[in-house]
Amino acid sequence: MTKKVLITPKSFQKHKQKPMEMLEAVGYEVILNTTGRTLTEDDIIEAAKTGVEGIIVGVDPLSARVLEKCGDLRAVSKYGVGMDNIDLERAVQLGIQVKNAVGTNSISVAELAIGLMFESARHLSEHIERVKKFDWDRIMGTELTGKHLAVIGGGQIGKEVAKRCRGLQMDVTIYDPFFHDPAFLEKYGVKYSEDFEALTRSADVITLHLPATRDTKHMINADVFGKMKPTAILINTARGELVDEQALYEALSGGQIAVAAQDVYSKEPPEEGDPLLSLSNFLLTPHLGAFTKEAVERMAIRSTENLLEMLKGGE
């Protein structure tokens, strides 16, 4: 039986030539996602139920059910970093190796987070749209220089944001219970806090860079919003589940915080009529943090290398 590999990310195809050559060189038949959309559980089961030894997966769901139905699956390589769409516990039980492409999209996501900070502070898109309608009215903005930035999550992306925002002369503090890098703090003049409540209360801008887990789900909730500055900006380029969206709607519409800008949402794309999208102070981009030429190319190569490494190790 021919050995197969399933590749689900839509953007993978933009840089598929070298990865496919790498896979085909060792005898794998490559199955690509040609639907133009994220695959469903049933789609993945149908494609990978027999003969598929490895999957390179994007945000498509690899639940326990999917993993159990893919009888020949030995390895899953994440095209990116966050692995909350993969049932890691069940993968371990089934003897399926899982690895992510650490560091491949950090710069792209960090740059988007900072772009959303400028957008939130200066209302750029709204001004551009007004001028196109021959409206020359302006909205007063704020500077980022000197503002207190709380970076929630001190992994690679959080560090990239912190470094760049220090260059913008912002006062940067990292919160992350698992952060242990005093050399980084000293080198870039970044502070560290173990007090989440005090930090979110004092921050002018809060940016989220951590995975969605049982512990982090809705960590930004009504209680947090109630203690934030009314001028505060919330940036989320990590996972939609980190923010309680009902509480966010109430905070934005009630003036508890000024602006929220997200690249992620609990349901992507959001349903038509979603109340948050009716608010002018809520900004949402279509999960494009890692969608740059450079990041896509790095993720395609690294995720393929990781998959081949795992498959070879399991032979």
Side-chain angles (χ1 to χ4, degrees):
M1 184 169 62
T2 304
K3 301 183 297 181
K4 301 175 185 176
V5 165
L6 172 64
I7 300 175
T8 71
K10 302 184 292 296
S11 64
F12 192 101
Q13 299 198 43
K14 297 180 183 297
H15 293 280
K16 67 181 181 181
Q17 183 174 346
K18 184 176 179 181
M20 288 187 66
E21 289 173 357
M22 294 164 63
L23 292 164
E24 290 168 352
V26 291
Y28 283 101
E29 176 187 332
V30 178
I31 303 170
L32 292 170
N33 173 11
T34 58
T35 66
R37 58 172 171 78
T38 300
L39 298 183
T40 65
E41 290 190 9
D42 289 339
D43 291 333
I44 298 171
I45 292 169
E46 180 62 29
K49 58 188 175 184
T50 57
V52 170
E53 297 187 359
I55 297 177
I56 296 176
V57 68
V59 297
D60 321 76
L62 291 185
S63 64
R65 170 177 172 258
V66 173
L67 297 175
E68 290 161 3
K69 294 284 187 180
C70 299
D72 298 310
L73 185 62
R74 296 195 289 123
V76 173
S77 180
K78 174 67 187 211
Y79 175 78
V81 180
M83 297 194 288
D84 48 291
N85 60 312
I86 306 167
D87 191 322
L88 298 175
E89 185 177 342
R90 191 65 182 125
V92 170
Q93 294 168 352
L94 294 169
I96 299 169
Q97 296 185 75
V98 183
K99 193 171 184 179
N100 59 357
V102 175
T104 52
N105 62 16
S106 302
I107 293 172
S108 293
V109 177
E111 288 184 353
L112 177 65
I114 294 167
L116 291 175
M117 291 180 202
F118 279 111
E119 170 69 30
S120 300
R122 299 302 301 270
H123 313 283
L124 302 175
S125 297
E126 188 170 350
H127 282 117
I128 290 166
E129 286 303 311
R130 285 187 179 198
V131 171
K132 286 184 176 182
K133 296 174 182 176
F134 301 95
D135 181 348
W136 205 248
D137 286 342
R138 297 171 296 178
I139 305 167
M140 182 72 73
T142 60
E143 293 181 349
L144 295 178
T145 297
K147 298 300 189 295
H148 185 195
L149 172 68
V151 179
I152 311 300
Q156 290 196 341
I157 297 172
K159 284 182 174 179
E160 294 295 342
V161 171
K163 287 193 295 186
R164 285 159 175 76
C165 288
R166 283 296 294 136
L168 295 172
Q169 299 181 34
M170 297 184 78
D171 178 17
V172 180
T173 305
I174 289 175
Y175 169 84
D176 186 334
F178 305 102
F179 184 87
H180 300 289
D181 194 347
F184 174 86
L185 300 176
E186 183 176 355
K187 181 176 180 180
Y188 293 102
V190 174
K191 299 172 186 174
Y192 176 75
S193 175
E194 296 182 350
D195 192 332
F196 177 78
E197 182 177 334
L199 180 59
T200 52
R201 188 192 295 267
S202 66
D204 297 298
V205 183
I206 297 173
T207 183
L208 307 180
H209 301 288
L210 65 170
T213 66
R214 292 191 188 108
D215 293 331
T216 62
K217 182 177 181 180
H218 290 182
M219 68 181 300
I220 308 298
N221 50 40
D223 183 56
V224 175
F225 289 128
K227 295 171 183 174
M228 287 170 63
K229 292 181 177 181
T231 54
I233 295 169
L234 175 67
I235 307 293
N236 183 8
T237 57
R239 286 292 183 266
E241 292 80 4
L242 301 176
V243 178
D244 181 335
E245 289 166 2
Q246 178 60 40
L248 177 59
Y249 175 82
E250 292 170 3
L252 288 169
S253 58
Q256 286 184 306
I257 68 170
V259 185
Q262 300 195 167
D263 185 46
V264 289
Y265 212 58
S266 60
K267 180 178 175 56
E268 296 179 358
E271 294 179 351
E272 191 170 342
D274 189 302
L276 262 173
L277 272 69
S278 69
L279 300 178
S280 61
N281 56 346
F282 177 70
L283 313 173
L284 182 64
T285 51
H287 208 140
L288 51 81
F291 197 60
T292 64
K293 178 182 180 297
E294 294 83 358
V296 167
E297 187 170 3
R298 285 192 296 262
M299 288 190 297
I301 299 296
R302 181 73 61 79
S303 60
T304 303
E305 291 173 342
N306 286 346
L307 186 66
L308 288 171
E309 181 182 321
M310 289 186 286
L311 291 173
K312 184 177 180 180
E315 290 178 354

